Amino acid sequence: MKIWIKSGTVVDPVKGTSKKSDVIIERGKVAEILPPGVFKGERGKFREIDASGKLIVPGLVDMHTHLREPGYEYKETVATGGMAGVAGGFTALACMPNTMPPNDCRSVTEFILEQAKRADRCRIYPVAAITVGQKGERLTEFGDLKEAGAVALSDDGWPVTSSELMRRALEYAHYHGMAIISHSEDRSLSEGGAMHEGSVSTRIGLPGIPAASEEIMVYRDICLARLTGCPVHIAHVSTAGSVELIRRAKEEGLSVTAETAPHYFSMDHRAVVGYDTRTKVNPPLRTPEDVEAIKAGLAEGVIDAIATDHAPHSSLEKDLEFERAAFGMIGLETALPLTLELVRGKTLSLPDAIKKLTWNPASILGVPGGSLTIGSVADLAIIDPECEYVLREEDIQSKSKNSPFIGKALKGRNDLTIVGGRIVWERKT
Ligand code: DOR
Ligand code: ZN
């Protein structure tokens, strides 16, 4: 069925504009974007959607999701993660390889894509492992993985400790036109840590993870980008020091890109005081000064993308003593309101905020999407930016509920998601 979205504000992150428009969708494509009142469609031939007061944005693209399949289906599957994604306004998810077995060979990549086809919700882009078994010893077959459908490479969850191996990975990936997404962590400093090392960890008696454990590896990766002339993407940037290193690398003209996750600009280490294991993430929530630096990094374009690092865990891994609990929080269904907070706080313009959730991550991954123009594939979301609500556990589509934002007041919500011209999510309440 053809779709006629009426009187919404179309946000074009590429042109940097937002304009009141109607959007017509036909045969899976954006057929028209025109001022309201101009289009005269025949009644009954269209599914008509009133979008007045709403934003029409390109479908969000998450370049860093954990879907847990194969191996940890009790936490999330491609189907449940895809559902959480479309509920949150995402039309494409790049899923990390730390599954069981890890996505380090063609058969696992193909399996994930098969499950994605079966789930038929949003686009799924597998990110394959850099090293076999994510053990940091031997490179995987990048060409083979690319042919199977992997779009990028990462050992996310684990660093590639050997600089020599990382150098080869950057060269080999560049040859294949695949991005390397670096989980920058010096394990010799972070091992045994449970939260950011600082005044709060000292006070509440938890072992710390110093900012330096991230910054040392960010600098190592920047040095390798300089040495090889190959691009590197830094995942989940959390510290002021990392922002400064990436700023300087960009000024130097190196091919370095970076992402952060909404929790790094929405919360700081004081949130851990009550030992709520849902606040335990890796890298950890940092200081208020780091939060400010992350926001400044986003505003200045030092940080290119906002990715969720959606990390579902069950109560088996989370209802434990803080030190024993797993790292990670879900994020697909809260990324949008938390990012819109940056717009309300004047850190980012609306088109810029949307660009960091769409065009920029799509470009870094080299996947389609991220723009909303006539003729483009109809992947889009209709957002109510003014909707105020308290996040309830029962509203969460993800199989896991490990979000510290449950019970918190949020503003801005995705109402409807379209993938390839088909409505895949519509909010009922
Ligand atoms: O908090 C995290 N959770 N950080 C990671 O690097 C991995 C992730 C996970 O897989 O749970
Ligand atoms: Zn991750």
Side-chain angles (χ1 to χ4, degrees):
M1 180 148 199
K2 296 191 270 191
I3 303 171
W4 181 1
I5 310 170
K6 295 176 166 177
S7 300
T9 298
V10 171
V11 181
D12 183 333
V14 182
K15 287 201 202 111
T17 55
S18 34
K19 225 179 350 191
K20 202 149 198 210
S21 312
D22 281 11
V23 176
I24 317 298
I25 296 167
E26 271 182 46
R27 285 186 289 272
K29 298 250 168 78
V30 176
E32 300 272 9
I33 302 176
L34 63 195
V38 173
F39 185 73
K40 301 274 179 270
E42 208 182 312
R43 292 257 139 163
K45 286 243 164 95
F46 291 85
R47 161 76 201 272
E48 294 179 35
I49 299 166
D50 177 16
S52 42
K54 311 268 171 79
L55 306 174
I56 307 171
V57 303
L60 310 183
V61 178
D62 188 13
M63 68 182 302
H64 192 143
T65 311
H66 296 270
L67 292 178
R68 306 299 191 207
E69 193 174 358
Y72 302 109
E73 289 83 356
Y74 67 100
K75 299 186 193 200
E76 195 81 288
T77 63
V78 173
T80 60
M83 194 56 129
V86 296
F90 289 90
T91 55
L93 308 176
C95 57
M96 288 296 160
N98 60 339
T99 48
M100 185 54 69
N103 181 9
D104 64 0
C105 62
R106 169 183 281 273
S107 58
V108 180
T109 302
E110 285 173 349
F111 170 75
I112 293 166
L113 288 171
E114 197 53 47
Q115 293 301 82
K117 208 185 288 169
R118 233 173 260 162
D120 199 18
R121 222 17 69 186
C122 63
R123 300 178 202 281
I124 302 289
Y125 298 117
V127 176
I130 296 172
T131 66
V132 176
Q134 295 193 273
K135 289 190 183 354
E137 293 163 0
R138 213 152 40 84
L139 295 183
T140 55
E141 296 286 350
F142 293 3
D144 210 31
L145 287 160
K146 184 179 181 174
E147 212 177 270
V151 299
L153 298 148
S154 180
D155 267 359
D156 185 59
W158 301 93
V160 177
T161 302
S162 159
S163 302
E164 192 275 334
L165 203 62
M166 190 62 158
R167 173 191 187 171
R168 299 292 164 223
L170 289 172
E171 292 170 339
Y172 193 22
H174 188 45
Y175 171 78
H176 286 289
M178 300 169 90
I180 289 273
I181 301 171
S182 174
H183 173 109
S184 305
E185 177 183 357
D186 182 336
R187 295 275 303 170
S188 69
L189 278 171
S190 61
E191 188 93 62
M195 70 173 294
H196 173 67
E197 181 176 313
S199 55
V200 177
S201 66
T202 308
R203 183 147 56 86
I204 71 173
L206 286 174
I209 300 173
S213 75
E214 175 175 314
E215 291 155 3
I216 286 168
M217 287 301 250
V218 168
Y219 189 57
R220 192 273 315 250
D221 293 334
I222 289 170
C223 291
L224 292 177
R226 185 187 295 119
L227 174 67
T228 59
C230 300
V232 67
H233 176 79
I234 312 291
H236 41 57
V237 171
S238 73
T239 80
S242 297
V243 173
E244 187 51 30
L245 289 164
I246 297 161
R247 177 182 290 117
R248 284 194 219 152
K250 288 192 167 190
E251 279 167 8
E252 197 187 319
L254 300 177
S255 226
V256 177
T257 52
E259 75 192 31
T260 191
H263 39 275
Y264 300 118
F265 56 74
S266 310
M267 296 182 119
D268 63 62
H269 61 165
R270 291 171 300 179
V272 185
V273 167
Y275 302 95
D276 178 351
T277 59
R278 296 173 305 178
T279 64
K280 184 175 177 182
V281 280
N282 186 30
L285 299 176
R286 303 290 188 179
T287 67
E289 293 74 31
D290 291 305
V291 170
E292 288 313 308
I294 295 289
K295 287 186 186 172
L298 283 163
E300 290 164 34
V302 173
I303 301 176
D304 306 86
I306 297 171
T308 66
D309 202 0
H310 176 81
H313 290 293
S314 79
S315 61
L316 285 173
E317 295 87 20
K318 280 296 194 182
D319 292 345
L320 300 171
E321 297 88 331
F322 201 91
E323 286 183 61
R324 293 177 57 216
F327 287 100
M329 65 171 82
I330 55 170
L332 286 168
E333 294 165 82
T334 46
L336 183 66
L338 296 176
T339 302
L340 289 176
E341 201 56 48
L342 295 180
V343 178
R344 289 188 286 266
K346 306 253 184 286
T347 298
L348 294 175
S349 69
L350 177 61
D352 260 358
I354 298 300
K355 195 175 186 184
K356 290 185 197 286
L357 284 164
T358 56
W359 179 258
N360 287 354
S363 306
I364 294 164
L365 292 175
V367 300
S371 74
L372 199 55
T373 45
I374 296 170
S376 66
V377 169
D379 285 7
L380 56 90
I382 302 177
I383 296 164
D384 182 350
E386 299 302 323
C387 174
E388 294 185 49
Y389 56 101
V390 172
L391 183 68
R392 298 181 310 179
E393 185 168 327
E394 58 267 36
D395 295 331
I396 292 176
Q397 300 298 315
S398 171
K399 204 179 248 194
S400 292
K401 314 294 175 193
N402 52 310
S403 170
F405 295 101
I406 291 172
K408 298 253 160 51
L410 297 174
K411 189 172 177 187
R413 202 169 205 176
N414 175 53
D415 272 357
L416 189 141
T417 313
I418 295 175
V419 174
R422 191 165 59 99
I423 297 172
V424 291
W425 170 263
E426 207 171 351
R427 190 166 297 284
K428 295 282 178 285
T429 51

